[in-house]
């Protein structure tokens, strides 16, 4: 009884509020979407750009959600669809600013060839050492756009299928990006530990 009263008094955001918003256009569903995903969206955009651009692109993305809500398909996860809109908006913004972003596979190699141990796809952390947020962020920013994007999306909890949808790339390409991103992060963070 207490649970039903609490649910009735305080409506909690629902994961399918995107489908409801796409169908109805009601602001309360949009507000739920914003409550659920705005922080994650901004964090992703900051890893791909800077704070100012991330804020602008985040706002533009929410406007696109309003404009394109009718294009949402319920079989897609709302967060993946939202991140796809954000990614496309960010790339469009980079093009407007004439900022070159490497989106093809020419830049997919480790920073330095050698006998680095290959990390598996299931690794969710880099090594067992304690790395500061600043050191990790600095290393992350040194990766190519596609490697940084792949690792950031994986850290957001997206499945391989979701990352395929967001980046419009195939599974093998994403696995390669993740492998090189992890190798490069391991190398960069190893260099950082040696200097510290």
């Amino acid at each position: 009884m207490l649970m039903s009263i609490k649910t009735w008094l305080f409506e909690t955001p629902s994961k399918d509020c995107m489908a409801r918003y796409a169908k109805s256009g009601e602001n309360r569903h949009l507000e739920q979407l914003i409550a659920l995903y705005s922080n994650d969206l901004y964090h992703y955009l900051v890893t791909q750009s800077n704070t100012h651009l991330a804020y602008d692109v985040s706002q533009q993305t929410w406007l696109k959600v309003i404009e394109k809500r009718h294009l949402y398909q319920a079989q897609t996860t709302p967060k993946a669809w939202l991140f796809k809109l954000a990614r496309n908006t960010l790339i469009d913004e980079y093009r407007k600013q004439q900022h070159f972003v490497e989106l093809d596979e020419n830049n997919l190699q480790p920073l330095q060839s050698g006998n680095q141990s290959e990390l598996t796809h299931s690794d969710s952390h880099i090594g067992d050492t304690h790395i500061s947020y600043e050191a990790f962020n600095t290393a992350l920013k040194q990766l190519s756009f596609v490697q940084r994007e792949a690792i950031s999306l994986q850290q957001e909890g997206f499945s391989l299928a979701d990352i395929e949808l967001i980046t419009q790339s195939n599974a093998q390409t994403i696995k390669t990006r993740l492998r090189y991103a992890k190798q490069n992060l391991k190398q960069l963070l190893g260099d950082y530990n040696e200097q510290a």
Side-chain angles (χ1 to χ4, degrees), residues 12-23 29 32-33 36-37 72 74 76 78:
T12 56
S14 165
K15 295 285 184 187
D16 63 353
C17 57
M18 184 64 231
R20 288 194 208 127
Y21 179 65
K23 188 174 183 178
H29 299 303
Q32 288 179 342
L33 280 170
L36 277 173
Y37 302 120
Y72 174 74
T76 305

Side-chain angles (χ1 to χ4, degrees), residues 175-186:
K175 287 178 183 177
T176 301
R177 290 173 182 173
L178 286 168
R179 185 176 72 246
Y180 287 140
K182 289 174 183 180
Q183 285 176 347
N184 289 335
L185 281 173
K186 186 176 181 183

